[in-house]
Amino acid sequence: MSSEQSASNQISARSDGEQTEKLDHTVITLAKKLAFPTLVLVFCVLYLNSTWGRLDLSTLVYPYAILLLALAMVAVIYANEIFGTLRNSNDTLSISNSVKRLLSEWGASILVVVTAIGYIAIMETIGFFPASFLAIITIMYVGGVQNWRLIGTVSIATLVAVYILFVVVLGIRPPTGYVQIEFTAPW
């Protein structure tokens, strides 16, 4: 299918003669609209999980009141967005075209988030410095840097600076993981 045909498939004619772009599929529209409230919901559940039964309930009255308010707001936003999107889901693209458009618009951001999750997941296994090296390389490449010498130089310089500042100067020991890479300062 040519790009001209693809463009004409994504544009529909209104009855008054105007051209308008088709909206994303209802599922993709809801996913975009509910991404932030879902993140708030996840943080609320994680906070509740980390404090329930571990702290005295009398110290948690105010935080739990804020948590309850946040959960109520998330429920209102969910209801409003779901019903509003379902009411206005007239002229939409297919789900595959919506996903393609979403990935073309948000692909780099999605890869950065996946890289951050992977970074956190592997840090305890391989250690802070190897995980950070891989994360910096990946984020720079996803960000559009194509020069591997520049990527390597920036990655190594950043990790040397972090090592000097945190390990040597401040005495903070980052996670070492199963890969025991120990650097000792010559001074």
Side-chain angles (χ1 to χ4, degrees), residues 2-3 6-7 12 27 35 46 64 76 80 93 95 97-98 122 135 137 139 143 164 166-168 178 181:
S2 71
S3 62
S6 176
S12 65
V27 172
L46 289 174
Y64 279 7
V76 169
N80 187 30
L93 292 171
I95 189 105
N97 286 339
S98 293
I122 68 171
I137 287 173
I139 288 174
I164 290 170
F166 288 99
V167 176
V168 175
Y178 300 123
I181 299 175

Side-chain angles (χ1 to χ4, degrees), residues 14-80:
R14 282 182 145 178
S15 60
D16 59 359
E18 284 184 28
Q19 295 290 321
T20 182
E21 188 173 339
K22 282 189 175 183
L23 301 173
D24 282 331
H25 192 273
T26 306
V27 172
I28 301 300
T29 302
L30 279 174
K32 283 195 237 179
K33 288 181 176 182
L34 296 178
F36 184 73
T38 301
L39 186 64
V40 170
L41 180 65
V42 167
F43 283 132
C44 288
V45 169
L46 289 174
Y47 181 78
L48 185 63
N49 183 47
S50 67
T51 59
W52 189 264
R54 293 186 179 103
L55 298 173
D56 186 22
L57 194 57
S58 65
T59 62
L60 294 171
V61 172
Y62 180 72
Y64 279 7
I66 298 298
L67 183 83
L68 194 59
L69 180 64
L71 291 174
M73 290 171 55
V74 165
V76 169
I77 291 170
Y78 262 78
N80 187 30

Side-chain angles (χ1 to χ4, degrees), residues 16-177:
D16 59 359
E18 284 184 28
Q19 295 290 321
T20 182
E21 188 173 339
K22 282 189 175 183
L23 301 173
D24 282 331
H25 192 273
T26 306
V27 172
I28 301 300
T29 302
L30 279 174
K32 283 195 237 179
K33 288 181 176 182
L34 296 178
F36 184 73
T38 301
L39 186 64
V40 170
L41 180 65
V42 167
F43 283 132
C44 288
V45 169
L46 289 174
Y47 181 78
L48 185 63
N49 183 47
S50 67
T51 59
W52 189 264
R54 293 186 179 103
L55 298 173
D56 186 22
L57 194 57
S58 65
T59 62
L60 294 171
V61 172
Y62 180 72
Y64 279 7
I66 298 298
L67 183 83
L68 194 59
L69 180 64
L71 291 174
M73 290 171 55
V74 165
V76 169
I77 291 170
Y78 262 78
N80 187 30
E81 293 298 340
I82 289 171
F83 293 125
T85 302
L86 291 177
R87 264 194 313 266
N88 299 330
S89 63
N90 300 358
D91 197 19
T92 62
L93 292 171
S94 68
I95 189 105
S96 61
N97 286 339
S98 293
V99 169
K100 287 177 188 174
R101 183 161 66 180
L102 176 72
L103 289 177
S104 71
E105 293 173 359
W106 291 91
S109 299
I110 292 169
L111 286 175
V112 167
V113 169
V114 168
T115 301
I117 292 169
Y119 171 66
I120 292 168
I122 68 171
M123 187 186 312
E124 288 295 322
T125 305
I126 67 172
F128 174 79
F129 288 105
S132 297
F133 183 71
L134 293 173
I136 292 169
I137 287 173
T138 305
I139 288 174
M140 286 183 71
Y141 186 76
V142 166
V145 178
Q146 302 295 321
N147 184 341
W148 286 102
R149 280 194 179 135
L150 178 63
I151 290 174
T153 304
V154 168
S155 300
I156 292 170
T158 301
L159 292 176
V160 166
V162 166
Y163 180 81
I164 290 170
L165 178 64
F166 288 99
V167 176
V168 175
V169 175
L170 297 175
I172 298 172
R173 294 283 175 208
T176 57

